[in-house]
Amino acid sequence: MGVSTLKYMRFYPHPNPPPEMGRELHRLRIVIPVLPHISNHTDFDALRLHPQVDFYFVKMNEAIPPADLIVLPGSKNVRGDLECLRAHDWDKALTRHLRYGGKVLGICGGFQMLGRLIHDPFAIEGDAGSSSGLGWLDMETTLAQTKQLRQVTANLAFAEAQVTGYEIHMGVSTGGALQNPALYITDGQVSQAEGAISADNQIAGTYLHGLFDHEQSCAAWLHWAGLQTQQHFDYEKLRNDELDRLADCVEQHLDWDKLAQYV
C-alpha cells in the first residue's frame, strides 16, 4: 500500500549573498561563542547574511579566530555558561581581545555576564547562589521569579537609529553602569534607559533581542564595532522577500484540491 502525498516540494536553496558582494569594502569579523545553553541564536541571522560580515559561531573547544567584535549571546543558564567560558579560557581571550582594541557586546544573558555579580537566590537556572561576572560593567544581576516578557521600540543612545525588538529574561540588573545606557525604550511619552556602554566605548550590553534585524540599528551597531563604510543591507526586506518566495513555491507545487479534502 503506497503512501499518500500532497506532492513533492522541490529543493529550496537559501539565497546567501554572492561571495563577491562587499569584498571591495571594509569587512568586519564577528565571533559568537556557542554556549552550552545558548538561546535566541536567531539574533544573528542578519549578521550571517550581511555582505560585509565574516561571521563565526565558535564552539567552546575550538580556537578563537581574530575578531573585531565578540558577542556574548543569550543563555538559559548564565552562571553555568559563564563557568564553561572560564573553563575554556574565553575570559582570558576576551581580555586579550579588549586589550588590542576589540569590541564586546552582551545580549540578555551575555549582558549579565559583563557585570560584577550574578545572583540566583531562588535556583531559577541551577543551584541557588552567586557567581562572579567578568567585571567589566559596574552592575549586579539578580534572577527574579517573574519573567520579563515584552515587545519594545527603542532609540539607540549612541546613534540616530531606532529598533523594535523584545525582552525575555528573569534577571534584574542594577548598578552605576546603567547610568550610561545603550538604548532608550520609548513608551508613549516616557523614555526608559536600557542597557549600558562602558566609559571607554569598548563594551556594551542590553536585554533587547533583535538588534540587527532592522536596517538602521544594524548599521549603527556595526559602525560602533568598526565598520565605517557600509554597503546598503536591508535584512527585513530580504526576510520578507524570502517568505514571499517560499509561499510562491508552496502554492506552485502543492496539490491544493487534495489538501482541501483534509481541511
Side-chain angles (χ1 to χ4, degrees):
M1 184 175 180
V3 178
S4 178
T5 67
L6 296 175
K7 279 203 172 180
Y8 293 100
M9 288 283 291
R10 67 176 178 84
F11 175 64
Y12 184 78
H14 196 293
N16 287 318
E20 66 274 8
M21 285 182 64
R23 291 296 177 187
E24 70 282 2
L25 298 175
H26 178 210
R27 302 182 64 76
L28 202 72
R29 295 165 298 181
I30 300 179
V31 164
I32 287 81
V34 180
L35 305 173
H37 305 92
I38 188 172
S39 65
N40 303 94
H41 55 82
T42 53
D43 278 339
F44 311 113
D45 285 353
L47 297 180
R48 296 171 71 180
L49 293 174
H50 197 290
Q52 287 178 261
V53 170
D54 295 324
F55 181 91
Y56 306 93
F57 271 130
V58 180
K59 296 179 181 179
M60 292 291 96
N61 58 349
E62 293 179 339
I64 305 168
D68 301 293
L69 171 64
I70 297 178
V71 184
L72 298 179
S75 167
K76 296 177 182 178
N77 186 334
V78 178
R79 293 170 61 215
D81 282 349
L82 186 53
E83 181 180 347
C84 185
L85 282 175
R86 288 191 167 110
H88 289 87
D89 291 332
W90 270 83
D91 54 337
K92 297 175 183 176
L94 286 162
T95 299
R96 185 167 57 251
H97 169 76
L98 290 168
R99 186 186 309 128
Y100 286 100
K103 297 290 183 80
V104 173
L105 171 64
I107 300 176
C108 201
F111 176 36
Q112 296 171 2
M113 293 180 186
L114 297 174
R116 291 186 288 104
L117 288 166
I118 302 167
H119 308 288
D120 189 359
F122 305 107
I124 301 296
E125 294 184 346
D127 294 337
S130 298
S131 298
S132 296
L134 295 169
W136 294 324
L137 293 177
D138 179 22
M139 69 177 201
E140 297 185 10
T141 298
T142 299
L143 301 185
Q145 292 178 294
T146 302
K147 178 177 288 188
Q148 174 76 271
L149 176 60
R150 60 175 178 165
Q151 185 170 0
V152 301
T153 297
N155 296 309
L156 271 60
F158 58 90
E160 293 291 330
Q162 190 176 78
V163 59
T164 298
Y166 64 94
E167 294 183 23
I168 178 169
H169 58 92
M170 309 291 287
V172 177
S173 299
T174 58
L178 306 180
Q179 299 302 310
N180 189 27
L183 310 103
Y184 289 96
I185 294 174
T186 54
D187 184 9
Q189 300 298 316
V190 179
S191 181
Q192 175 189 348
E194 199 282 326
I197 297 181
S198 63
D200 62 6
N201 200 39
Q202 277 192 270
I203 302 165
T206 175
Y207 277 112
L208 191 63
H209 295 280
L211 295 178
F212 306 109
D213 289 354
H214 305 277
E215 183 180 2
Q216 289 184 347
S217 178
C218 181
W221 280 107
L222 294 183
H223 187 273
W224 173 80
L227 191 61
Q228 305 302 318
T229 304
Q230 297 189 38
Q231 182 175 311
H232 174 74
F233 176 69
D234 188 342
Y235 173 67
E236 285 183 288
K237 183 179 185 304
L238 177 65
R239 180 173 56 188
N240 289 334
D241 288 347
E242 281 309 291
L243 289 174
D244 289 341
R245 194 165 78 98
L246 178 59
D248 291 342
C249 185
V250 171
E251 183 178 21
Q252 178 183 353
H253 291 279
L254 281 190
D255 187 336
W256 292 99
D257 292 333
K258 193 169 186 178
L259 179 63
Q261 299 174 14
Y262 298 94
V263 176

